[in-house]
C-alpha cells in the first residue's frame, strides 16, 4: 500500500470528511497539521499548487482535496490507487 499523506487543519470540515473516508477504508495515513505553521502551509502550497486544505497524496500522486478524494471513491478509482 502506498504512503498516504494529508495536510490538514483541526477545524476544517473537509479535512475531517477526507480523514473519515480513509479511516473507514482502514487506510493508514500521515497527517501533517498546518494550523499556525506558515512554513508547513507554504511547503504544502509549493507541492500542491494550492493553499486550501486538505491536500492529499497517495504515493507520489497528488489527488487534490476532499472533493477529489470522494470523487475517486465514487468512480471506483480510489481502491486501485491505494493498492498500487
Amino acid at each position: 500500500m502506498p504512503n498516504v499523506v494529508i495536510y490538514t487543519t483541526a477545524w476544517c470540515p473537509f479535512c475531517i470528511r477526507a480523514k473519515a473516508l480513509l479511516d473507514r477504508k482502514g487506510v493508514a495515513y500521515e497527517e501533517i497539521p498546518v494550523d499556525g505553521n506558515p512554513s508547513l502551509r507554504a511547503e504544502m502550497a509549493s507541492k500542491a499548487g494550492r493553499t486550501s486544505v486538505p491536500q492529499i497524496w497517495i504515493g507520489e500522486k497528488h489527488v487534490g482535496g476532499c472533493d477529489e478524494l470522494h470523487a475517486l471513491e465514487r468512480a471506483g478509482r480510489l481502491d486501485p490507487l491505494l493498492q498500487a
Side-chain angles (χ1 to χ4, degrees):
M1 181 174 289
N3 185 40
V4 177
V5 175
I6 179 169
Y7 286 81
T8 65
T9 60
W11 51 267
C12 168
F14 297 103
C15 298
I16 294 165
R17 284 187 59 222
K19 291 188 301 181
L21 174 57
L22 295 171
D23 290 341
R24 280 193 306 275
K25 294 184 131 334
V27 174
Y29 52 86
E30 176 186 358
E31 182 176 3
I32 302 174
V34 298
D35 310 84
N37 192 326
S39 63
L40 276 179
R41 190 176 280 268
E43 172 189 296
M44 175 198 75
S46 173
K47 288 170 59 177
R50 301 179 183 179
T51 57
S52 60
V53 287
Q55 292 301 318
I56 305 160
W57 280 262
I58 299 174
E60 296 298 314
K61 179 176 176 54
H62 177 237
V63 298
C66 180
D67 290 343
E68 291 87 358
L69 185 70
H70 280 271
L72 286 170
E73 173 70 356
R74 283 190 304 277
R77 294 177 35 217
L78 181 56
D79 288 338
L81 269 179
L82 292 169
Q83 295 168 0

